[in-house]
Amino acid sequence: MSTTSTVRVVVVEDHPVTRMGVVALLGQDERIEVVGEAGAGEDALGVVAREHPDVVVTDLRLGDGLDGVGVTSAVRGTRPAPAVLVLTTYDTDRDIVRAVEAGAAGYLLKDADPARITDAVIRAAAGGTVLSPDLAQRVVARISRPQADLSAREVEILAAVARGLSNREIARSLVISEATVKTHLVHVFTKLDVDSRTAAVARAREDGLIP
């Protein structure tokens, strides 16, 4: 944290209106000074290098190019390294874990109470970790959970299920029998420890196995 009385912040958000809102919110707190902003990940690295902020507040998805996790990893590798607070609309376990593993000090949703967001910036600047008990529990559970080892064919079939295809349609598209599709799905359910197609798709997305 800088020796000045305010926390210096760079805001990274690809949607201009949202970025203006975040800048305005943080600017209302006398403890915070927004010293720069960027609409793309690559641009953010230049702004951070120039301004040397205490905290970088970044969205997770930043359009094409470097995403919020990439920004986090890059700026945390600089010296002095600013703290990073991810402020986003995405709350899947995989996204949260990726951000934390990249070095983010906190992860908040954009619909959080404004006072909580500004307080999170202050806490991050002071070296604190900003994760709600629920998110922290999910991170621990996700990290400790073994990664399912699906075969390429099983992932292919599960991706087709995620697109809404029936077993018959999957069999036709992959030129295999419907019975073979069912067998693969049984193996998928076992490996993912689920008992339905919907649960299998949800678990696979959490683990980053399918988009």
Side-chain angles (χ1 to χ4, degrees):
M1 185 170 173
S2 65
T3 56
T4 61
S5 59
T6 57
V7 173
R8 293 166 53 83
V9 176
V10 165
V11 175
V12 187
E13 166 64 58
D14 62 327
H15 294 289
V17 173
T18 303
R19 186 168 67 249
M20 289 173 59
V22 175
V23 169
L25 168 64
L26 299 181
Q28 292 175 359
D29 193 309
E30 60 183 14
R31 300 171 297 174
I32 298 172
E33 178 187 5
V34 177
V35 296
E37 54 185 272
E42 289 77 5
D43 295 340
L45 302 187
V47 176
V48 169
R50 183 179 70 247
E51 300 295 341
H52 302 292
D54 301 306
V55 180
V56 174
V57 177
T58 182
D59 194 359
L60 192 65
R61 310 289 168 86
L62 298 171
D64 296 333
L66 205 62
D67 67 359
V69 172
V71 169
T72 300
S73 181
V75 303
R76 289 298 295 165
T78 63
R79 291 294 179 269
V84 179
L85 178 66
V86 175
L87 183 63
T88 187
T89 58
Y90 304 93
D91 71 339
T92 65
D93 292 355
R94 177 172 176 264
D95 286 331
I96 299 167
V97 170
R98 286 178 64 229
V100 171
E101 289 181 340
Y107 194 107
L108 288 177
L109 299 182
K110 289 177 180 176
D111 62 359
D113 184 82
R116 187 178 174 206
I117 294 174
T118 53
D119 285 345
V121 170
I122 301 301
R123 287 174 57 193
T129 299
V130 187
L131 277 177
S132 69
D134 173 60
L135 291 186
Q137 185 176 29
R138 286 166 57 183
V139 168
V140 171
R142 173 67 177 81
I143 292 175
S144 63
R145 188 172 68 201
Q147 181 77 19
D149 184 21
L150 300 188
S151 69
R153 177 63 89 182
E154 289 166 349
V155 171
E156 190 175 20
I157 288 174
L158 192 52
V161 171
R163 294 195 301 271
L165 273 62
S166 66
N167 287 358
R168 179 173 298 179
E169 291 169 329
I170 295 172
R172 187 181 303 119
S173 67
L174 298 180
V175 196
I176 57 178
S177 71
E178 193 171 342
T180 298
V181 172
K182 291 179 179 178
T183 298
H184 279 304
L185 284 176
V186 169
H187 293 161
V188 167
F189 288 4
T190 299
K191 291 179 179 181
L192 296 180
D193 192 25
V194 297
D195 58 8
S196 72
R197 297 163 76 93
T198 301
V201 169
R203 170 70 189 275
R205 282 177 171 155
E206 285 180 3
D207 288 357
L209 298 172
I210 60 174

